[in-house]
Amino acid sequence: MYTNSEPGRKVPAGAERGRGDAGLGMLVARLMFAVQDELYQRLAAAGYDDLRPNHGVVMAYLDHSGTRATDLATRSGRQKQLIGRVVDELEVLGYVERCPDPADRRAKLVVPTERGRAAMNLSDKIMKDLEGRESRAIGPATYEEFRQVLGRLIESIHRHREVR
């Protein structure tokens, strides 16, 4: 597929993606990367320099009392195999451990270690600081409306994906 960017010149569609208005996916990605950059820089400065953004698929959805890997996959929207690999990494780094689920001995819970809980608590504080700063920057009403609209967009996309 080609588009005409200049008269007489055919350019493959998408060749000029870095120019002009960014689409929804690009805007959301930029927001996510900006938030992740600040979060992981601040975590590193506090001594958690071994945590990486990909660890967020577990750490962001993990309960302090522990969570089954299947629930982490559901909450994060990622495949259980990916969650398993990330849990393996976090276990080696000392942030989580696998323990028997008291409700079902056949199942395992991913449970944060003391270091994991400290990192989770600090992450929560950093995110609260970041959200508060940005709320003040654009105004609390605008910030809250943005959060609500973004949530509705996500729900709409999920509904349309499930219909297909």
Side-chain angles (χ1 to χ4, degrees):
M1 184 169 161
Y2 289 89
T3 61
N4 289 325
S5 61
E6 296 175 22
R9 181 172 160 232
K10 292 197 178 228
V11 176
E16 298 178 2
R17 289 179 185 225
R19 300 180 188 160
D21 292 334
L24 177 64
M26 292 175 78
L27 289 170
V28 172
R30 287 179 188 167
L31 175 61
M32 181 186 72
F33 294 143
V35 169
Q36 282 182 339
D37 287 348
E38 181 167 343
L39 173 63
Y40 287 93
Q41 286 172 6
R42 290 176 65 180
L43 284 169
Y48 301 99
D49 57 343
D50 50 356
L51 284 175
R52 301 284 177 261
N54 65 305
H55 295 142
V57 300
V58 169
M59 297 297 288
Y61 300 97
L62 186 60
D63 295 325
H64 282 268
S65 60
T67 310
R68 289 183 181 186
T70 53
D71 293 331
L72 292 169
T74 300
R75 291 176 186 179
S76 67
R78 298 291 170 231
Q79 293 181 344
K80 190 176 174 196
Q81 294 82 358
L82 171 65
I83 298 301
R85 285 193 301 268
V86 173
V87 168
D88 290 343
E89 289 177 24
L90 289 168
E91 199 167 27
V92 169
L93 294 171
Y95 288 96
V96 301
E97 58 188 353
R98 289 179 171 99
C99 299
D101 185 342
D104 180 356
R105 287 291 205 205
R106 296 168 298 170
K108 295 278 188 187
L109 287 178
V110 178
V111 180
T113 61
E114 185 177 325
R115 181 168 175 77
R117 286 189 300 278
M120 290 165 62
N121 291 338
L122 179 57
S123 293
D124 291 346
K125 181 185 178 310
I126 292 168
M127 290 305 302
K128 185 176 179 180
D129 289 348
L130 187 152
E131 289 191 44
R133 181 189 70 213
E134 297 311 318
S135 176
R136 289 186 299 278
I138 65 173
T142 301
Y143 186 77
E144 185 54 35
E145 182 180 7
F146 166 74
R147 286 178 49 95
Q148 290 177 11
V149 169
L150 186 59
R152 288 196 309 265
L153 279 171
I154 292 166
E155 288 174 10
S156 176
I157 289 169
H158 282 292
R159 270 196 315 274
H160 285 96
R161 185 176 68 193
E162 291 169 2
V163 169
R164 292 180 181 197

